[in-house]
Amino acid sequence: MSRLRFSLMMIFTFLAAGCAIQPRPETTSVPVPSRLLSEEAAQGSPSPAPSQEDSIGAGARDPAGEPAPPAEVADAREAPLPAFWTQLGDPTLRELIGEALRTNLDVRAAEARVREASASRQLAALDYFPTVTASSGYTRQRFSGASFPGFSESEELDLYQAGVDASWEIDLFGRIRRNVAGQSALQRAALEDVRDVEVLLVSEVGRTYYDLRGAQEQLVVAERNAENQRRTLRLTEDRLEGGRGTAFDTERARAQLSATLATIPELETRIAGAIFRMGVLLGRPAEPLLQRLAAPAEFPELPESPRVGAPERLVHQRPDVRSAERRLAAETAFVSSARADYLPRLTVGGSAGYTSSAFDAIGDSESSRFIIGPTLSWPLFDLGRVTARVDAAEARASEARSRYDQAVLLALEEAETAFVAYDRARRRLTHLLDAAEASERAAELARLRFDEGITDFLQVLDAERTMLEAQDELAQGRTNAVNAFVELYRALGGLWPLGESNEP
C-alpha cells in the first residue's frame, strides 16, 4: 500500500508540474494611445469602435492558447483588390497590381516559406503518433572459444532477422503539444508574412506607377515649355534681324531653351527606370510594358483622409504586427516545451519479428519473437543541459517580445507620419496649383507687354522661367501627394478602415 501511495503522489506531483509550465497569453507592453495625434488632420466619418477581439494581443485564441489566424489571410488568394485602390479610378494601376500579386517572385518566395512552415508543423504533430520502422538483416558471427568454457574451437553462426520496431512517447506533460502549438504559431506568422509582402508589393507598384506618371507629366511640361521657348527664340531672332532687338536678348532666350532641353534626358531616364522597375515587380521582362505605359495619364482626384478611430484596431490589422505577435506566441510555447524536459518522459516501446539461424526458418512460429513495455526516463543527472536549453528558449522569447513591441511602435509611428504627410501633401498641392495658374497668366501678360513695347525682354524670360518652375513643382507635388496616399495604404496594413472589408 505504501508503494502505491508513493506512486500516486509522484504522478500527482508530475501532473501539477506539467500544469505549471503552461504559458500565459502574451500581449504587448507598449501603451497604445486612445487616438492618433494626427487625427485632427483627418477628414470623414469615424470608423466603428473596435471590439474586444480587435485589441492587440486579445484576438481569438485556439485551445492551445495561440491566436487564431485571421479570416482575411485565409481568403487572401481569392480576395478582390481592396476598395482603397478603386477610389483612384485608374484601371491600368488595378491591372498592374493584380498581375503583380499573381506573378511577383517575392510573393512566391513567401508562399514557399508558408509551405515550409506547414511541413514543419505537420512534422511536429507526427510526434503524437508512434514511430514504427521495419528492418531486416543478416549477420555471420564467430564466437571466441574463450567465451564458452569447455569448447576449444571458435563457433560460427549465421543469423537472419526481420521485424518491426515501434516507439511511442506518451505526452504526459505537454512537451509535444506545446511544440506543435509553437509550430502552428510559426505557420500563422508565415501566412502573415505573405500578406506583409503583398502589402509592400502593392505599395511599391503604386509608388513606381505614379513616379512614372509624374516623370511623364514633368516631361510634357518641359517639352511644352521648350516649344514656347523656341517660339520666343525665333521672335528674338526676327527682331534682331529687323533691327528692333538685341543679341543679348537672343542669347538669353537660347540659354533658357538649352537649360529646358537639358532636363528632358534626365526625365526620359526616370521614365525608363520606372518601367524597368515595374517589370521586376511583375516578375517578368519589362519589354511588353514599354508600349503599354508609354502614354501619359492624368493624376487622380485624391479622397479625404479617413478617421481611424481607436489605434488598436489600426495597429492590429497590420500583417507585420500580427506576424510579430505570432512569433512571440511560438517562442513562448517553445519555452514551455523546453521546460517539460525537466519532467520524466514515458515511452512505450515494442519490437516484433523473427530471428533464426536459417533463412528458410524465417516466418516459422519457432523463430518468432516480441518485446513490449513502458520506459520512464528522467534526465536527473543531466539537468544542466536542460537548463541551458530552457535559458536559450527564454532568450529567444525575450527577443521575440522586443521585436513585437518594436513592431507596434513602428506601426504607430508610420500611421502618424502617413496621416500627417497625406494631409499636408494635399494642402500643398492646392497652393502649387494656384501658383502654376498664376505663373501661366503672368507669362502671357509679360509677352503681351513685351509685344506692345511696355516692358523689356528680360521680364518675359523671367516670367517663362517662373512658369516652368511652377508647373514642374506642380507635377512633382502631384506625385508626392499620390505617393503619400500610397504610404497611407501601407501604414494601414493594406486595409482601408472605412472600406467594406472592415465592416464588423
Side-chain angles (χ1 to χ4, degrees):
M1 180 64 73
S2 60
R3 292 182 178 179
L4 179 60
R5 186 182 298 111
F6 176 77
S7 300
L8 292 175
M9 290 178 60
M10 291 295 294
I11 292 175
F12 288 137
T13 300
F14 290 151
L15 290 176
C19 294
I21 64 174
Q22 299 303 316
R24 297 184 300 273
E26 299 291 343
T27 58
T28 180
S29 59
V30 174
V32 179
S34 59
R35 63 192 298 268
L36 293 179
L37 297 177
S38 58
E39 193 171 10
E40 65 272 9
Q43 302 294 328
S45 303
S47 59
S51 62
Q52 182 179 2
E53 288 76 12
D54 290 324
S55 301
I56 297 178
R61 296 182 177 270
D62 62 18
E66 304 306 329
E72 63 268 17
V73 173
D75 299 335
R77 301 281 77 79
E78 293 79 16
L81 289 178
F84 192 97
W85 297 106
T86 62
Q87 301 175 82
L88 300 182
D90 193 325
T92 301
L93 175 61
R94 292 199 299 271
E95 291 174 4
L96 291 172
I97 290 175
E99 292 177 20
L101 290 174
R102 291 190 299 269
T103 60
N104 180 263
L105 299 180
D106 287 334
V107 173
R108 292 182 181 180
E111 291 172 345
R113 289 192 290 271
V114 171
R115 294 194 295 271
E116 177 188 6
S118 300
S120 297
R121 194 265 180 195
Q122 183 179 7
L123 182 63
L126 289 175
D127 288 340
Y128 282 123
F129 304 96
T131 300
V132 181
T133 59
S135 62
S136 62
Y138 161 76
T139 59
R140 183 175 179 83
Q141 302 177 5
R142 171 178 290 182
F143 298 98
S144 171
S147 301
F148 300 92
F151 293 90
S152 60
E153 297 181 357
S154 299
E155 296 289 338
E156 293 184 358
L157 178 65
D158 293 329
L159 190 64
Y160 299 88
Q161 57 181 354
V164 294
D165 300 315
S167 177
W168 184 22
E169 179 181 347
I170 308 300
D171 193 28
L172 289 177
F173 307 115
R175 185 189 70 84
I176 297 176
R177 180 166 58 88
R178 300 311 305 165
N179 188 47
V180 172
Q183 294 295 339
S184 297
L186 289 180
Q187 180 185 9
R188 292 162 182 162
L191 288 170
E192 294 294 345
D193 289 341
V194 172
R195 251 198 67 200
D196 191 38
V197 170
E198 291 175 339
V199 169
L200 296 177
L201 170 65
V202 171
S203 301
E204 187 66 18
V205 169
R207 185 180 297 106
T208 302
Y209 179 77
Y210 284 112
D211 284 343
L212 167 67
R213 295 312 188 193
Q216 288 175 331
E217 182 172 342
Q218 288 179 280
L219 179 61
V220 170
V221 169
E223 290 176 340
R224 183 173 62 243
N225 280 273
E227 185 60 31
N228 292 335
Q229 291 166 6
R230 285 191 185 95
R231 289 195 296 267
T232 302
L233 176 59
R234 287 194 296 268
L235 175 63
T236 61
E237 291 174 342
D238 293 342
R239 290 174 64 88
L240 179 62
E241 292 176 359
R244 294 182 300 163
T246 65
F248 178 74
D249 291 343
T250 302
E251 295 305 320
R252 286 290 302 269
R254 181 176 288 110
Q256 183 161 281
L257 172 60
S258 297
T260 301
L261 292 175
T263 63
I264 292 178
E266 179 183 359
L267 293 172
E268 291 173 340
T269 301
R270 285 176 51 192
I271 291 172
I275 293 177
F276 294 145
R277 177 61 185 163
M278 188 67 74
V280 173
L281 296 175
L282 268 60
R284 68 175 74 174
E287 184 177 358
L289 298 174
L290 293 174
Q291 182 66 28
R292 183 178 178 185
L293 300 177
E298 294 183 359
F299 278 90
E301 290 291 332
L302 296 177
E304 297 285 341
S305 299
R307 287 191 179 274
V308 301
E312 285 187 352
R313 182 180 187 183
L314 181 149
V315 172
H316 188 57
Q317 75 182 12
R318 284 179 52 125
D320 56 340
V321 175
R322 289 176 180 258
S323 175
E325 193 274 341
R326 281 154 177 75
R327 293 186 189 281
L328 173 58
E331 296 299 340
T332 302
F334 292 148
V335 170
S336 297
S337 180
R339 288 176 179 170
D341 286 340
Y342 282 118
L343 305 173
R345 291 189 190 182
L346 177 60
T347 304
V348 177
S351 177
Y354 299 92
T355 301
S356 175
S357 59
F359 179 77
D360 296 340
I362 294 294
D364 296 343
S365 58
E366 293 81 3
S367 63
S368 63
R369 57 173 175 81
F370 76 90
I371 181 173
I372 187 171
T375 301
L376 189 65
S377 60
W378 188 14
L380 180 61
F381 301 105
D382 200 24
L383 295 180
R385 286 187 173 85
V386 176
T387 301
R389 289 194 293 269
V390 171
D391 291 343
E394 290 177 343
R396 289 191 294 269
S398 179
E399 177 188 1
R401 168 166 292 284
S402 298
R403 292 188 181 279
Y404 177 38
D405 292 343
Q406 182 75 352
V408 173
L409 286 174
L410 289 176
L412 291 172
E413 175 200 4
E414 292 176 1
E416 296 276 15
T417 304
F419 274 93
V420 171
Y422 180 58
D423 180 73
R424 302 306 186 267
R426 293 177 70 248
R427 293 186 189 180
R428 181 173 182 268
L429 192 57
T430 301
H431 298 305
L432 290 175
L433 182 60
D434 293 341
E437 293 175 350
S439 65
E440 188 173 356
R441 291 192 299 268
E444 293 175 359
L445 291 174
R447 293 190 193 97
L448 290 175
R449 290 168 63 87
F450 174 72
D451 292 340
E452 296 174 358
I454 300 176
T455 60
D456 59 12
F457 186 67
L458 185 62
Q459 291 190 11
V460 175
L461 292 178
D462 183 67
E464 288 183 345
R465 177 183 55 80
T466 302
M467 180 181 67
L468 174 60
E469 292 176 352
Q471 291 176 345
D472 190 75
E473 281 286 329
L474 176 60
Q476 187 61 49
R478 285 171 173 161
T479 302
N480 293 339
V482 179
N483 283 341
F485 183 77
V486 172
E487 186 63 24
L488 188 61
Y489 166 83
R490 192 180 73 84
L492 294 174
L495 298 176
W496 185 255
L498 303 180
E500 296 180 358
S501 58
N502 277 343
E503 289 297 328

